[in-house]
Amino acid sequence: MPSVPSYFDDPDAAIERVQADIAAAQERALKAAEVKQTLDRLRGRARSPRGEVTAEVDPSGQLVDLHLADDATSIAARDLSALIVETVRAAAQDAGRQALAVAADAFGETSPVTAQLRDELASRLR
């Protein structure tokens, strides 16, 4: 029966493997912190087709800014409400696309992190 190499067979190689694992973990943590900072600054923006409504959201889809043009008051309240909701939704989609691009750039298009974000965005932004 062949023996399984152990840490005791080549302690120097074992130490090198552990050090490489630590370095890789530190690199992933640094990358994750950079991605978080980028996402914290990210804003999705959208403007209604005729420019009556402009919306800005953060990566979670929270509305952070809303501008109504002066002529927006000439739109019926019900229609203006719908236009605001549509524009905020479009801004959230923009933020989602940007966040997905950041994750894909940092972790790879097929990484588990990117895949999970893609799935979350797909279910949230239907």
Side-chain angles (χ1 to χ4, degrees), residues 4-15 17:
V4 176
S6 75
Y7 285 108
F8 299 109
D9 293 337
D10 188 352
D12 291 334
I15 290 170
R17 282 194 307 269

Side-chain angles (χ1 to χ4, degrees), residues 49-114:
R50 294 192 320 241
E52 306 95 331
V53 178
T54 304
E56 183 176 316
V57 301
D58 67 14
S60 71
Q62 290 287 342
L63 184 64
V64 295
D65 199 9
L66 180 69
H67 290 283
L68 300 177
D70 291 338
D71 62 345
T73 57
S74 65
I75 300 172
R78 177 186 49 212
D79 296 336
L80 181 58
S81 295
L83 189 58
I84 290 170
V85 169
E86 274 178 36
T87 306
V88 170
R89 184 172 290 129
Q93 290 170 341
D94 179 50
R97 282 190 296 273
Q98 290 181 57
L100 195 55
V102 167
D105 184 53
F107 303 111
E109 188 67 38
T110 59
S111 77
V113 172
T114 304

Side-chain angles (χ1 to χ4, degrees), residues 31-51:
K31 187 175 282 194
E34 290 170 358
V35 167
K36 182 185 179 324
Q37 288 176 351
T38 300
L39 291 176
D40 286 347
R41 292 187 309 267
L42 187 144
R43 294 294 182 259
R45 293 174 182 85
R47 187 174 177 184
S48 62
R50 294 192 320 241

